[in-house]
Amino acid sequence: MSDIPAPDEQTQYSSRRHDDVDALAWPALSTHALDLLRSAGTVLHPEPGELLWDAGDPYDLYLVLAGGVLLVDRREDRVVFVIEEGDFVGELGMLMGQRAFLPGVAMAETEVLRVRVDELRRLVEVSAELSDVLLSAFDARRRLLMRMSAGGLVLAGDDDRDLHRLQEFAERNQLPYRTVLRSDASAWSDLATTTALPEAGTVVVTGERRVLPAPTTRDLATALGIDLWCLSDDARCDLLVVGAGPAGLAAAVYGASEGLDVVVVEDVAIGGQAGSSSRIENYLGFPRGVSGAELARAAMLQAVKFGTRLVSPRSVTGLSQVSGGFCVRLDDEHDILARAVVIASGVRYRRLDVAGLAEFEGRGVYYAAGELEAKVVSGRNAVVVGGANSAGQAALFLARHAGQVHVLVRRDDLRDTMSNYLAQRITHHERVTVHPRSELSAVHGTSRLSAVGWRDHVLDRDVRLDANGLFLMIGADPCTTWLHEAGVELDAKGFVVTHDGFSTSVPGVFAVGDARAGSVKRVASAVGEGSVVISAVHSYLSAPPRT
Ligand SMILES: Cc1cc2nc3c(=O)[nH]c(=O)nc-3n(C[C@H](O)[C@H](O)[C@H](O)COP(=O)(O)OP(=O)(O)OC[C@H]3O[C@@H](n4cnc5c(N)ncnc54)[C@H](O)[C@@H]3O)c2cc1C
């Protein structure tokens, strides 16, 4: 590789110059861990400047025995990380089959131990010590990349719905990225010096300088290599889980840790509804609450640690019985054969029938309240529609950023639909105003939402309020339309009917979490059901074949 920049004061980060917060990212390996890696690796002596892997390549773990490895942002010709002697190159995506965000280049007089990723997965499964130290390090490094907005991925364009869709995908899938807005002339022209940018529309620039004009989220995922990796060589599994919300992730963790070969297919983002929650306060063991994103990241890590294969973003579109199990069809027509299936596809938020609403989705109208959305309403008015817990949490979270939060509720009393503790907090919060018996009637704006209208039935008048954010938290419908041809019994509202715990009307197909008829719509119950269903899956798989 030519023109490799030298590490200098421009270098963002060195594996030997970290603060205590990052200590987890750069652990000292014990003699036992080193011996294990040596037993599975090959020693290499690359030339100075040699490209060990490029951005966009699948990559392996490199333990630096002498010299160093530079992680380079090729767009900006800048060294982002220096991995020094004694440290190892590796990141969370490695175990998930993702491709490298940044290329790796050898420094002078470098000696590395290369452990191929398949070998690494095997070692992580057999050695608890190596698994603990590597997974903690990989997780910490991903957080570091996110914090630094490093990783080479740039999402660029106008501040509109398309850009928001990509940002949301990156945030919810914990992909480090940087945003460059066309309206920021200096950042835009900086990016344009190394990349040919289109005149209009959204564009993704990857670490290896690939430009994707008008990309779908699938294009972005494919460019980063985060989908379909498990299907290229093996489209069979013991257990296929549909959906990676709390229920699906729990099924994956318990299934994989008990020896099943598990594939999880997720349509949108790991974590499901819970992943979009700003703070979950009633989940056991987190007295100060935990953000949905944090919980989703930890669960994903745990699932990957036990060898779960994650396929996302892909949606399951059909299920049919075949000899030896089930054929699960994906939206790109790929099929996966599974011996058993767990339906954990949850529910999806409802939309309101208000003229013009759809136009502002992602541009002021949102169905979740996370950090990204909070920035939009910073210091301004936000309107939350809904009276359930999700609306209450959103209101409290937004109140930390917004000037004032207005909650529109159809009923007279919040406590009819919201946990008492949330209703109390909302009612007494100085920056939250609850409007009982009020219904959204209008949205206004040109390119973005600028005002919201509602009918206040208590005061019997129409209200119009300047607002930058409208958050619709009005309940949800089950994601089960893909089951219509599968012969699985659904109730009148579309929820999956189960008998004897989690068995559906089709033997070998189970249902857990919010998608199941009669389920309690909570994170803890979804996790509980996802964990417990595995014993039923085991019994089914070990039963003598049916004749
Ligand atoms: C904003 C918000 C805040 C909340 N706060 C709390 C709280 O504080 N405490 C609490 O206990 N509960 C809370 N809940 C409820 C809780 O999050 C849910 O009960 C829980 O997430 C249900 O888990 P699940 O796995 O069954 O379904 P989901 O979380 O809905 O996950 C289902 C997953 O399946 C995917 N999927 C759907 N169809 C397909 C398909 N065809 N192919 C592939 N994938 C598919 C979806 O994209 C989704 O990721 C909250 C919900 C929201 C929306």
Side-chain angles (χ1 to χ4, degrees), residues 242-248 265-269 271-274 276-277 279-282 314-317 344-349 390 393 421 473 479 482 512-515 520-524 526:
V242 185
V265 182
E266 167 54 51
D267 186 12
V268 183
Q273 296 168 70
S276 68
S277 167
R279 196 146 90 129
I280 298 166
E281 290 193 68
N282 56 357
R314 281 290 184 281
S315 137
V316 172
T317 55
S345 48
V347 297
R348 200 150 284 161
Y349 316 112
S390 54
Q393 285 167 0
Y421 80 94
M473 307 280 176
C479 300
W482 59 279
V512 290
D514 281 13
V520 179
K521 308 284 182 281
R522 291 283 181 271
V523 175

Side-chain angles (χ1 to χ4, degrees), residues 148 308 399:
M148 292 164 62
T308 301

